[in-house]
Amino acid sequence: MIPEHLNIAELFAARAEKFRAQPFLRVASSVAHAYCIDARDYSYGEVLDLTCQMQRHYRAQGVGRGTVVGLALKNRPEFFFHFLALNGLGAQVVALAVEMVDPELSYLIAHSEMVLLTCLPEDRARFQKLASDLTIVTLDRFSSVEVEPLETVGGYDDIAAVLYTSGTTGRPKGCMLSNAYFLHIGKFYPSIGGYCHFSAGQERLITPLPVTHMNALACSFMASIETGSCLIQLDRFHPSQWWDTVRESRATIMHYLGVMPAMLLKAPPADDDFSDQIKFAFGAGCDPRHHANFENRFKIKLLEAWAMTETGAGAWIMAAHEPRHVGTRCFGQKPDGLEVKLLQEDAADPHQGELLVRRAGSRPRQFFFSGYLKDQAATDEAWHDDWFHTGDIVRMDQEGNFYFVDRKKNIIRRSGENISASEVEAVLLRHPDVANCVVVPVKDDLRGEEVSALIIPHDHTKSTTLAHELFAFCQEALSYYKIPAYFAIVDEIAVTASQKVKRQDARLQAEALLGEGKMENLAQLKKSPHRSKSV
């Protein structure tokens, strides 16, 4: 079957013809202040014209089908204009986060083999130093020129973008994402139904998430184009300004990360807490303690979902219909067209295991990523036996609802018991003296692995007694075997540019501290309430 549109730029041109005078992109006041630009709406027609102008500049630089081009434009509105222009020319876009440190950026530039980079004028010298042979163009070079018809030469299965994983346990892997991948997300997301409902040409979708990630680059961007909606892309999440920005931008749908509900709930209730214009919120990772509280206070349903950069909407599960099992990490039931199974590693619980997914029918990889760039071995490993191995441990109930447990790599295997590091971290973070923490396994000759915790306290003067306080605190919420046996008070925890914990680094840090005798050893306190001695 021939698809209706072959690439993203072609879809946008069709929507611009239908919704030409309607707003496509809103620059909110907070964004205008952050980037020193005007707060305004860009209409579909205006963005189409800007896209056509930029294509002329890129063609002059020799950009065509298959050319790899980097965009380091933060969350600025221009990012989307350049992305559409490059997509129409058949180029492959690599979105770069300028917050990355130089070695990380150098690796991405070299690994992707990009030949041209568009960045802000103030970043030109930095990128030129990182890659002297890279052609660099800055935003100020894209002056207005005569508008020519939009060029769209990219094919349906051509690579539109390469998004790099966060690389928490090694070098980032480049996920190759096709036009088909993006276009299917645009169709799937608005069609989920239940509380997830889009009205064509009427929605205003607000997101603070970075364009270097799949949620903003694919989900909100493509759903807006597909439905003729207005995208409100923020520079980042500003908790104190959130409801003012929602009101000012007249948002109707919001995207969130797991930490956002918790941060918004911290603010004291106010008369201008705004909620009733938001139809629903889409995201993942909301702390179960905050889910119901947020919905009750702000009258907004947080629709928890599961997907990965690698799966796109080829495997996307969302709790958009009742019962949603609020506060249980439930992310719904599988949609039609998706096959799932659980790879069980613990015979004691046949309803829990690693989530494996694929499309039903003869094309199991349809609408997924096209593979890891220059890493066929990793691609083959992820697609073992034509099932995509997600690395996520989930539980399924009798009604077919899925519940997130943890990343497989975050599971600590102690004396035959599977312990979720995230579950233990959630308990530790409830303690008022804990600013941040990470829970990782350390080697144990008797138990295989033991639980350890690296703690960043709010006040280091309390650190001498904090380990014992935290152990007692955990006893109130966790089974004895899940409680950390070792605690270390630290000044910092290694994170990626996207603020994800580098768990492998944290594990090595814990192993080193333990070997040096610098962790508080409370293993002797780990006793089952039903036994005098426990392992």
Side-chain angles (χ1 to χ4, degrees):
M1 183 177 68
I2 299 175
E4 182 182 3
H5 300 289
L6 295 179
N7 54 47
I8 303 163
E10 190 173 291
L11 172 65
F12 184 82
R15 293 297 178 266
E17 183 177 351
K18 182 177 181 180
F19 299 107
R20 186 169 185 85
Q22 293 186 211
F24 167 66
L25 188 65
R26 170 66 187 173
V27 179
S29 296
S30 59
V31 177
H33 177 75
Y35 296 141
C36 298
I37 56 179
D38 294 332
R40 54 166 296 187
D41 283 342
Y42 285 91
S43 71
Y44 272 83
E46 187 176 6
V47 172
L48 181 61
D49 290 344
L50 288 168
T51 298
C52 294
Q53 291 174 0
M54 290 173 182
Q55 276 199 343
R56 182 170 181 174
H57 286 281
Y58 279 118
R59 280 198 302 270
Q61 293 287 339
V63 174
R65 194 170 189 176
T67 306
V68 181
V69 179
L71 292 181
L73 300 175
K74 302 181 179 180
N75 275 14
R76 297 175 64 100
E78 294 94 338
F79 175 91
F80 297 102
F81 311 155
H82 287 261
F83 183 89
L84 287 167
L86 290 164
N87 181 260
L89 293 173
Q92 299 178 19
V93 173
V94 179
L96 298 176
V98 296
E99 297 82 10
M100 287 182 169
V101 297
D102 287 356
E104 292 174 315
L105 287 171
S106 294
Y107 174 76
L108 266 57
I109 291 170
H111 184 264
S112 65
E113 299 183 19
M114 67 177 64
V115 298
L116 186 145
L117 171 72
T118 300
C119 67
L120 303 176
E122 58 266 31
D123 292 325
R124 181 188 182 97
R126 180 191 182 195
F127 282 110
Q128 200 71 78
K129 183 179 180 181
L130 293 177
S132 58
D133 58 343
L134 184 64
T135 299
I136 296 179
V137 183
T138 56
L139 279 187
D140 56 324
R141 305 293 293 179
F142 287 83
S143 58
S144 297
V145 295
E146 183 180 349
V147 176
E148 299 176 352
L150 181 72
E151 186 173 342
T152 58
V153 299
Y156 188 64
D157 293 317
D158 284 4
I159 303 304
V162 178
L163 286 187
Y164 280 83
T165 61
S166 57
T168 58
T169 58
R171 287 288 198 183
K173 294 194 289 289
C175 294
M176 298 184 290
L177 311 178
S178 67
N179 283 301
Y181 173 102
F182 282 92
L183 294 170
H184 183 64
I185 286 178
K187 285 186 176 296
F188 177 83
Y189 178 15
S191 70
I192 291 173
Y195 295 119
C196 180
H197 174 71
F198 284 71
S199 296
Q202 299 180 29
E203 306 302 345
R204 298 175 67 87
L205 196 158
I206 188 168
T207 178
L209 307 182
V211 295
T212 52
H213 289 185
M214 166 254 201
N215 191 298
L217 180 57
C219 301
S220 51
F221 180 49
M222 294 307 302
S224 296
I225 295 175
E226 177 66 32
T227 61
S229 299
C230 179
L231 175 63
I232 308 158
Q233 176 67 59
L234 304 185
D235 59 308
R236 63 182 180 87
F237 177 54
H238 300 275
S240 62
Q241 301 175 31
W242 180 255
W243 297 118
D244 288 337
T245 303
V246 167
R247 280 191 297 272
E248 178 249 342
S249 61
R250 295 180 287 115
T252 61
I253 296 168
M254 66 179 257
H255 282 201
Y256 68 91
L257 283 177
V259 297
M260 287 174 54
M263 297 179 74
L264 292 172
L265 281 168
K266 283 184 178 180
D271 293 338
D272 61 354
D273 278 353
F274 196 86
S275 58
D276 61 6
Q277 77 183 51
I278 298 290
K279 297 167 61 173
F280 69 88
F282 158 72
C286 177
D287 189 314
R289 296 172 298 149
H290 304 315
H291 198 162
N293 291 338
F294 185 94
E295 293 195 359
N296 291 334
R297 175 173 167 182
F298 298 111
K299 304 299 184 289
I300 296 174
K301 289 180 170 55
L302 300 176
L303 306 185
E304 288 279 287
W306 178 92
M308 299 173 64
T309 303
E310 288 88 340
T311 70
W316 175 331
I317 308 173
M318 185 174 183
H321 300 79
E322 297 292 356
R324 293 179 296 124
H325 302 287
V326 170
T328 64
R329 296 193 186 278
C330 176
F331 56 89
Q333 301 184 3
K334 77 173 186 69
D336 293 339
L338 177 65
E339 292 184 353
V340 302
K341 72 175 181 178
L342 301 184
L343 183 62
Q344 295 161 4
E345 297 184 350
D346 187 352
D349 189 351
H351 304 293
Q352 180 171 305
E354 182 185 0
L355 179 64
L356 275 54
V357 293
R358 68 183 182 188
R359 300 299 300 168
S362 61
R363 300 179 64 189
R365 305 187 186 193
Q366 188 179 28
F367 306 129
F368 282 67
F369 77 135
S370 301
Y372 294 116
L373 179 64
K374 296 193 288 190
D375 198 340
Q376 188 60 45
T379 303
D380 293 342
E381 181 181 3
W383 273 110
H384 184 63
D385 290 335
D386 256 342
W387 284 93
F388 183 79
H389 292 237
T390 69
D392 285 341
I393 303 299
V394 305
R395 178 173 57 85
M396 185 176 69
D397 66 19
Q398 293 182 342
E399 286 72 42
N401 295 297
F402 289 97
Y403 302 81
F404 182 77
V405 176
D406 207 343
R407 289 289 295 164
K408 185 178 179 180
K409 293 179 180 178
N410 299 348
I411 294 293
I412 300 168
R413 184 77 169 174
R414 180 190 185 274
S415 296
E417 298 280 1
N418 286 330
I419 301 167
S420 165
S422 296
E423 179 186 9
V424 182
E425 289 165 356
V427 172
L428 290 169
L429 287 169
R430 296 176 201 169
H431 194 282
D433 291 333
V434 176
N436 200 2
C437 71
V438 60
V439 171
V440 292
V442 290
K443 296 176 183 177
D444 187 284
D445 292 337
L446 178 62
R447 303 167 187 86
E449 292 180 339
E450 184 54 277
V451 187
S452 73
L454 303 178
I455 306 293
I456 298 179
H458 286 294
D459 184 353
H460 277 267
T461 63
K462 297 181 180 180
S463 61
T464 55
T465 61
L466 187 55
H468 283 268
E469 290 180 18
L470 291 175
F471 190 95
F473 186 75
C474 288
Q475 284 181 307
E476 300 296 320
L478 296 170
S479 299
Y480 81 93
Y481 62 88
K482 298 180 181 179
I483 301 172
Y486 304 101
F487 290 86
I489 308 302
V490 298
D491 293 322
E492 62 181 0
I493 294 169
V495 296
T496 67
S498 56
Q499 299 303 300
K500 291 183 179 180
V501 172
K502 292 183 176 179
R503 289 190 177 269
Q504 183 62 23
D505 287 6
R507 182 170 184 167
L508 293 174
Q509 182 182 6
E511 292 276 8
L513 290 170
L514 182 62
E516 296 166 5
K518 295 180 180 179
M519 295 196 90
E520 189 81 23
N521 183 352
L522 303 182
Q524 73 279 4
L525 300 180
K526 291 187 68 163
K527 296 180 180 180
S528 168
H530 307 296
R531 301 177 187 176
S532 59
K533 185 178 180 180
S534 301
V535 295

